[in-house]
Amino acid sequence: MEESALLTNITMIITKDILVDEGNCLKNPKHFLWHSSSNQTTNTDVDNNEMRFPLLAAADDEDEEFFLKQQFLDEATKEKQPTSTSHKKQTVATSSGQILRKRLTVKKSEKFYEHRQRQGSASRLLKKPKELNLLNKYENIEFEGYLHMSKMSFLKTFQFIKHLLSQSTFPAGVPAQTVFSLSLWKLTTDEHFEEISRRFQISQTDCEAIISQFWHIISDKYESYIKWPNSHLSQQLQLQGFQKHPQLKIFPNLFGVLAIKRLDIFLASEDAEIPIILQIVCNVDQKVIDCFVELEQDYSFDETPMGQILALNENTMPKGCYLIGNKSFPLKAYLMKPITSPCFRKEHEFNRLLEPALQLGQDTLDIMAKRFNALYALEARDLAEVRKILETVCALHNLSVAIEDDYVERKREVVKFNWARDTNSPISTVGSEQSVLGVQKRSDLIDRVTM
């Protein structure tokens, strides 16, 4: 019974304390800060409290109002200092009431801040970035200097891939032209993400996310832009193209040219520069029809998809056809290469006749690098991202060839340095010549082209 009576008394005291606090709020005008009108008192105490607890409008969040009101009441309660022993019970009751209110306040304030945080995140996601229009931003010469193509070529290339860059693919509905402009800028210049972010006033995080997503999208559509001739018609066109080349028509059944380049890539996953191998196959128009990337230490032509397919599937090329590659490739019945140590006149002549084909492959790589300067100093998170970037470069290179943009041709007339023939990073290995079928096929070809 005594315990029940004690609990009843405590409850009454707490209730009384809450009523007293509410009464004080009504008596004291400086506590009237919620849903206030624009007519403000000039009292200094009120001004100070207003600075600590900003006014709320009637439409504001209920949790926020409750939180601020409880904070204000706690401040007012602290100012009261009981002066006599007759108020001890009321003091204990007030303390109990403050504890209860504090618990409620903490709970409500947590809810309030979580709500505001969710609202902030939503507003960031809904904030649409400004559309980037490089065509209007730069004059023709300056535009070509940055993007290494004419404005017309830019528009044509954009039209080819615009359907892949739907706004639903990117956060906050980033405009397709902004995605393409940022991604192309990253590939054609040697600027880092932070430089691009500052230049176009886009956060570095958003910049990286948009460009990385672009690489991912183009890489996923690899076969739409980098096509190996599989149909009978496309294979015949491939052969006819080389037969129309004045210096390569001497090689019957030439189907493609293999080229290889060593690149030093900064990998964030390794926090170091790592050498990789870029291997391509190009046609007579210098379009890439196959692309492969591997770490230099793990690279072997026989282990590449192209090497395995050619070895296992004789229908990959028409019967009797072959590729031409440099000395680093192994000699095969389907892969002709220069003689490593020529001794006889025919062997020297054969190597000389192969030069235009090898030059075609080197020029293809050089054209890619002169358009996409990122190849000079590539950076990526890991090898998987390197593959996506280089596949994107090859795809965009093919589109540039298709629309016949002449910027790189004009640039190569001035800049004679050929990136693919850079002697500072040679491929030192020499491919095997142990294939019996390869040796026989090359011997027959030598006799035919050196008559």
Side-chain angles (χ1 to χ4, degrees):
M1 291 294 292
E2 292 180 0
E3 182 178 351
S4 175
L6 179 60
L7 290 174
T8 300
N9 289 337
I10 291 175
T11 302
M12 292 176 65
I13 292 171
I14 292 174
T15 303
K16 179 181 177 182
D17 178 65
I18 293 174
L19 292 174
V20 169
D21 285 346
E22 291 293 335
N24 289 336
C25 291
L26 294 174
K27 290 178 183 179
N28 193 343
K30 75 178 182 178
H31 292 175
F32 247 44
L33 296 179
W34 352 102
H35 311 311
S36 172
S37 65
S38 59
N39 297 327
Q40 303 296 334
T41 178
T42 58
N43 185 281
T44 304
D45 293 335
V46 177
D47 291 340
N48 291 337
N49 283 318
E50 285 176 355
M51 293 298 293
R52 287 181 289 170
F53 303 101
L55 297 180
L56 294 173
D60 281 343
D61 190 275
E62 293 180 359
D63 293 334
E64 184 176 8
E65 178 181 358
F66 181 88
F67 169 68
L68 295 176
K69 186 173 181 180
Q70 290 299 330
Q71 291 288 332
F72 190 86
L73 291 176
D74 286 344
E75 290 288 333
T77 304
K78 290 178 182 178
E79 294 175 1
K80 300 177 183 178
Q81 298 295 336
T83 57
S84 66
T85 57
S86 62
H87 294 151
K88 285 182 180 180
K89 289 184 179 180
Q90 184 175 351
T91 302
V92 173
T94 302
S95 300
S96 301
Q98 289 176 344
I99 293 172
L100 288 175
R101 286 197 302 275
K102 184 176 181 181
R103 290 176 180 174
L104 287 172
T105 299
V106 169
K107 194 170 184 180
K108 287 290 187 179
S109 63
E110 288 176 351
K111 181 180 177 183
F112 162 66
Y113 283 121
E114 288 175 2
H115 174 67
R116 282 289 179 263
Q117 188 172 12
R118 288 194 299 272
Q119 282 187 334
S121 300
S123 65
R124 285 193 296 272
L125 289 175
L126 293 175
K127 184 180 179 181
K128 186 176 180 179
K130 181 176 64 174
E131 184 164 1
L132 180 59
N133 191 333
L134 298 178
L135 297 171
N136 293 338
K137 188 177 180 66
Y138 298 106
E139 296 296 331
N140 291 341
I141 296 178
E142 193 176 12
F143 183 92
E144 288 189 355
Y146 282 126
L147 297 174
H148 302 163
M149 63 176 62
S150 67
K151 289 186 176 182
M152 184 57 68
S153 297
F154 176 92
L155 287 172
K156 289 180 179 178
T157 306
F158 177 56
Q159 290 302 318
F160 270 111
I161 64 174
K162 183 179 180 180
H163 66 285
L164 300 176
L165 310 180
S166 61
Q167 295 187 0
S168 60
T169 308
F170 295 88
V174 183
Q177 184 168 310
T178 299
V179 174
F180 180 64
S181 298
L182 285 174
S183 304
L184 196 60
W185 190 280
K186 173 62 178 171
L187 293 175
T188 56
T189 70
D190 57 357
E191 291 185 2
H192 300 289
F193 284 114
E194 56 267 30
E195 295 175 288
I196 299 174
S197 173
R198 288 194 300 269
R199 180 185 292 274
F200 298 116
Q201 298 180 350
I202 298 175
S203 74
Q204 184 174 338
T205 302
D206 290 342
C207 190
E208 291 184 17
I210 290 170
I211 295 174
S212 296
Q213 183 67 7
F214 176 83
W215 293 334
H216 182 80
I217 290 172
I218 301 300
S219 177
D220 281 350
K221 299 296 181 180
Y222 173 91
E223 294 182 354
S224 298
Y225 305 102
I226 304 172
K227 300 178 181 180
W228 181 266
N230 288 316
S231 67
H232 176 73
L233 177 59
S234 61
Q235 290 180 346
Q236 291 304 309
L237 291 174
Q238 182 85 346
L239 291 170
Q240 291 173 14
F242 283 107
Q243 289 303 300
K244 292 179 180 179
H245 191 286
Q247 294 176 294
L248 297 178
K249 63 182 180 181
I250 193 173
F251 293 102
N253 300 326
L254 174 57
F255 195 77
V257 177
L258 267 166
I260 195 172
K261 175 65 179 177
R262 179 184 183 272
L263 296 85
D264 290 319
I265 309 296
F266 179 83
L267 295 183
S269 59
E270 303 290 336
D271 193 25
E273 281 195 348
I274 305 296
I276 68 163
I277 297 297
L278 168 62
Q279 173 190 289
I280 66 167
V281 182
C282 68
N283 64 14
V284 71
D285 297 322
Q286 296 180 318
K287 280 188 177 181
V288 177
I289 60 175
D290 185 74
C291 168
F292 179 71
V293 179
E294 184 57 276
L295 296 174
E296 184 183 37
Q297 62 185 18
D298 298 331
Y299 174 78
S300 168
F301 175 78
D302 290 331
E303 299 300 321
T304 66
M306 178 54 57
Q308 294 179 349
I309 290 173
L310 289 173
L312 299 175
N313 186 357
E314 61 182 16
N315 295 322
T316 303
M317 294 187 296
K319 185 177 181 180
C321 290
Y322 49 85
L323 304 176
I324 289 179
N326 63 26
K327 65 180 182 179
S328 65
F329 293 103
L331 179 65
K332 306 283 185 181
Y334 47 81
L335 203 174
M336 297 291 99
K337 56 174 288 185
I339 297 173
T340 305
S341 301
C343 298
F344 304 104
R345 182 192 62 81
K346 283 189 175 183
E347 294 176 342
H348 284 283
E349 180 67 10
F350 177 75
N351 284 1
R352 186 187 67 80
L353 292 173
L354 287 179
E355 278 299 318
L358 301 179
Q359 184 67 44
L360 183 73
Q362 292 174 347
D363 287 347
T364 301
L365 288 171
D366 185 57
I367 288 170
M368 289 169 56
K370 281 186 168 61
R371 190 180 301 280
F372 304 106
N373 288 174
L375 291 178
Y376 297 138
L378 199 60
E379 55 184 0
R381 287 193 293 266
D382 49 35
L383 184 61
E385 186 171 77
V386 172
R387 289 193 172 108
K388 293 182 184 300
I389 295 171
L390 293 179
E391 287 171 356
T392 299
V393 166
C394 290
L396 294 177
H397 163 79
N398 284 355
L399 289 177
S400 298
V401 173
I403 63 180
E404 299 180 346
D405 180 76
D406 66 344
Y407 171 81
V408 173
E409 290 182 14
R410 290 185 277 116
K411 183 176 181 179
R412 295 184 77 218
E413 292 177 359
V414 179
V415 182
K416 299 298 183 181
F417 172 75
N418 191 313
W419 177 72
R421 299 182 67 177
D422 181 13
T423 56
N424 292 327
S425 56
I427 307 299
S428 58
T429 58
V430 176
S432 169
E433 299 188 9
Q434 301 302 314
S435 170
V436 176
L437 292 177
V439 171
Q440 182 61 48
K441 180 70 175 283
R442 186 171 65 180
S443 177
D444 293 341
L445 188 60
I446 290 174
D447 291 338
R448 183 169 183 174
V449 300
T450 58
M451 290 178 58

